[in-house]
Amino acid sequence: MINKVILVGRLVKDPELKYLEDGKAVTSITLAVNRNFKNQNGDYDTDFLNCTLWKKNAENTANYCRKGSVIGVTGRIQTRSYDNNDGQRVYVTEVIAEGVKFLSTKKEALV
Amino acid sequence: MINKVILVGRLVKDPELKYLEDGKAVTSITLAVNRNFKNQNGDYDTDFLNCTLWKKNAENTANYCRKGSVIGVTGRIQTRSYDNNDGQRVYVTEVIAEGVKFLSTKKEALV
Amino acid sequence: MINKVILVGRLVKDPELKYLEDGKAVTSITLAVNRNFKNQNGDYDTDFLNCTLWKKNAENTANYCRKGSVIGVTGRIQTRSYDNNDGQRVYVTEVIAEGVKFLSTKKEALV
Amino acid sequence: MINKVILVGRLVKDPELKYLEDGKAVTSITLAVNRNFKNQNGDYDTDFLNCTLWKKNAENTANYCRKGSVIGVTGRIQTRSYDNNDGQRVYVTEVIAEGVKFLSTKKEALV
DNA sequence: TTTT
DNA sequence: TTTT
């Protein structure tokens, strides 16, 4: 089946790089993506989309991006669930990045 | 900014059509989208993705699709949050459909 | 930069598999993709989009698909140019497939 | 069927705005999109992709963008053919923009 | 938990 | 709450 996502948005905070026990790099980021159309009050809502980056994508993003950086992410939507402390099932939907593109001000980021 | 999603998957149950007070048609569906790669146990996981359809898209899907139907959805990811009965904030991520395509067996569905 | 294409359409003829001198498998297919909106005469135009598939994607498509098969292709748009026999420069735009999904009638194709 | 394209690239020259006899605004632009992977010589090729913009998208792009501006385009691939002066059939593939996003340096362009 |  |  097909599952493709393409996002361009801004980092809501500095990315934090972690390493799993097996040495794999991971970073979880949240992208603020402003909508292109106005709501009933006449202003633009924004969606806050969680993305998970792996390996080189994780390391590069942690190295080159900061809160406010504009980033393009291509990937897929993934769902998972877990039981929280209150014994309730929590459903999580996030974007798993397959590619990342740095689009911020600095010219070199745009190559 | 950019926020695009393209999915092809199967309906996990019959779609239920509702009408809001203002007369607008809505349908919430869940698409089962099998992944194209195997997990560590050697089988294919599937993601269950909630999509919201509006107006003609909602009505047509309710009329022409059933549990198991293969559907293509194009749209965007949206986030929203609400407080549940226990006073906890719940975060919801769903796909808002802009286009829907019926891809099931019956030839006429594929036009 | 970002360059993503997602198509679902029908094969206009049986795919022909070739092998390059280095042993790499290639298949060039044309997808007929019906538009979702009517032209001024009230009928649906269709776009005929050339796609190039490599390796396993090429071999599987040649093995499992025929004229009329419904196929999903994800990939990127590529441009190239060459000089034809009359010494004229010809510009070619085609889709390079990164993933292929068989969506035809037969149930097993849809896994 | 499904036909979706998402591009982020740079304008290769200033956009030229035209108006058809019926008053509709059109702009044809070419986006230079650098590939994310190296060719056999170790450098990055770039694809030059023709896009056609209509109405407000055409006017805004002509007003706010210049050669070198970074632009996001979402839309579909379209094919058409015509006979050139030498009586030869020429096939054209281009991207018809449905949405445009200005991503250049100037902060305000990124809202 | 939210960016310009 | 999960489809083939």
Side-chain angles (χ1 to χ4, degrees):
Chain A
M1 323 295 294
I2 296 176
N3 180 344
K4 289 283 167 191
V5 177
I6 301 98
L7 303 174
V8 174
R10 303 192 106 98
L11 280 185
V12 302
K13 57 169 186 275
D14 286 2
E16 275 171 57
L17 185 61
K18 277 175 221 163
Y19 286 93
L20 300 190
E21 315 80 56
D22 64 353
K24 243 197 292 192
V26 217
T27 308
S28 287
I29 60 172
T30 299
L31 277 189
V33 183
N34 302 305
R35 293 188 194 157
N36 299 318
F37 53 93
K38 294 177 184 158
N39 62 19
Q40 53 274 58
N41 304 323
D43 33 49
Y44 295 97
D45 285 325
T46 104
D47 292 294
F48 295 94
L49 305 174
N50 298 314
C51 305
T52 302
L53 319 177
W54 293 96
K55 304 184 198 175
K56 274 287 156 219
N57 285 336
E59 294 177 326
N60 290 336
T61 302
N63 285 336
Y64 299 128
C65 302
R66 291 290 162 264
K67 182 178 173 180
S69 297
V70 178
I71 294 189
V73 166
T74 60
R76 41 178 248 276
I77 316 182
Q78 184 163 106
T79 53
R80 62 192 165 82
S81 59
Y82 65 92
D83 297 312
N84 71 6
N85 303 333
D86 310 355
Q88 289 181 302
R89 177 128 291 191
V90 179
Y91 293 91
V92 180
T93 302
E94 63 205 336
V95 171
I96 306 300
E98 286 159 0
V100 181
K101 203 72 221 169
F102 307 141
L103 297 169
S104 266
T105 338
K106 302 157 199 164
K107 255 83 187 191
E108 68 278 21
L110 287 164
V111 181
Chain B
M1 323 295 291
I2 295 177
N3 180 344
K4 288 284 166 188
V5 178
I6 301 97
L7 304 174
V8 175
R10 303 193 105 98
L11 280 186
V12 302
K13 58 169 186 275
D14 288 0
E16 276 172 57
L17 184 61
K18 277 176 221 162
Y19 286 92
L20 300 191
E21 316 79 56
D22 64 354
K24 245 200 288 192
V26 217
T27 308
S28 287
I29 60 172
T30 301
L31 277 189
V33 183
N34 302 304
R35 292 189 195 157
N36 299 319
F37 53 93
K38 294 176 184 159
N39 63 18
Q40 53 276 58
N41 304 322
D43 32 50
Y44 295 97
D45 285 326
T46 103
D47 292 295
F48 296 94
L49 305 174
N50 298 315
C51 305
T52 302
L53 318 178
W54 294 96
K55 303 184 198 174
K56 273 291 158 217
N57 286 335
E59 294 178 325
N60 290 335
T61 302
N63 285 335
Y64 299 128
C65 302
R66 292 288 162 265
K67 183 180 174 179
S69 297
V70 179
I71 294 189
V73 166
T74 59
R76 42 179 248 276
I77 317 183
Q78 185 162 107
T79 51
R80 62 192 165 84
S81 59
Y82 65 93
D83 297 312
N84 71 5
N85 303 333
D86 310 355
Q88 289 181 303
R89 177 128 292 192
V90 180
Y91 294 90
V92 179
T93 302
E94 62 205 337
V95 171
I96 306 299
E98 285 158 1
V100 182
K101 202 72 220 170
F102 307 141
L103 297 168
S104 268
T105 338
K106 302 158 198 162
K107 254 82 187 192
E108 67 277 23
L110 287 163
V111 181
Chain C
M1 324 294 295
I2 296 177
N3 180 344
K4 288 282 167 189
V5 177
I6 302 98
L7 303 174
V8 175
R10 305 194 104 99
L11 279 186
V12 303
K13 58 169 187 273
D14 287 1
E16 275 172 57
L17 184 61
K18 277 175 221 165
Y19 286 94
L20 299 191
E21 315 79 56
D22 64 354
K24 243 199 292 192
V26 216
T27 308
S28 286
I29 60 173
T30 300
L31 277 189
V33 182
N34 303 305
R35 293 189 195 157
N36 299 319
F37 53 93
K38 295 176 183 160
N39 62 19
Q40 52 275 60
N41 305 321
D43 32 51
Y44 294 97
D45 286 325
T46 95
D47 292 294
F48 295 93
L49 304 174
N50 298 315
C51 306
T52 302
L53 318 178
W54 293 96
K55 303 183 199 174
K56 273 290 157 217
N57 286 335
E59 293 177 325
N60 290 336
T61 302
N63 285 336
Y64 298 127
C65 301
R66 291 289 162 265
K67 182 181 174 177
S69 296
V70 178
I71 294 189
V73 166
T74 59
R76 42 179 247 276
I77 317 183
Q78 184 163 108
T79 51
R80 63 190 165 83
S81 59
Y82 64 92
D83 297 311
N84 70 6
N85 303 333
D86 311 354
Q88 289 181 303
R89 177 127 289 193
V90 179
Y91 293 90
V92 179
T93 302
E94 63 205 335
V95 171
I96 305 300
E98 286 158 1
V100 181
K101 202 71 220 168
F102 308 142
L103 297 168
S104 267
T105 338
K106 300 159 200 160
K107 255 83 186 193
E108 68 278 22
L110 287 164
V111 182
Chain D
M1 323 295 293
I2 296 176
N3 180 344
K4 288 282 167 191
V5 177
I6 301 97
L7 304 173
V8 175
R10 304 194 105 98
L11 280 186
V12 302
K13 57 167 186 274
D14 287 2
E16 277 171 57
L17 184 61
K18 278 175 221 164
Y19 286 93
L20 300 191
E21 315 81 54
D22 64 354
K24 245 198 291 194
V26 218
T27 308
S28 285
I29 60 173
T30 299
L31 278 189
V33 183
N34 302 305
R35 293 188 194 159
N36 299 319
F37 53 93
K38 294 176 184 159
N39 62 19
Q40 54 272 58
N41 304 322
D43 31 49
Y44 295 98
D45 286 326
T46 103
D47 292 294
F48 295 93
L49 305 173
N50 297 314
C51 306
T52 303
L53 318 178
W54 293 96
K55 303 182 198 176
K56 273 289 158 218
N57 286 335
E59 294 178 325
N60 290 335
T61 302
N63 285 336
Y64 298 127
C65 302
R66 290 290 162 266
K67 183 180 174 178
S69 297
V70 178
I71 295 190
V73 166
T74 59
R76 41 180 250 275
I77 316 182
Q78 184 162 106
T79 51
R80 62 191 165 83
S81 59
Y82 64 92
D83 297 310
N84 71 5
N85 303 332
D86 310 354
Q88 289 182 303
R89 175 129 290 192
V90 179
Y91 293 91
V92 179
T93 302
E94 63 204 336
V95 171
I96 306 299
E98 286 157 0
V100 181
K101 202 72 221 168
F102 307 143
L103 298 168
S104 266
T105 337
K106 301 159 202 164
K107 256 83 187 192
E108 67 277 22
L110 287 163
V111 180

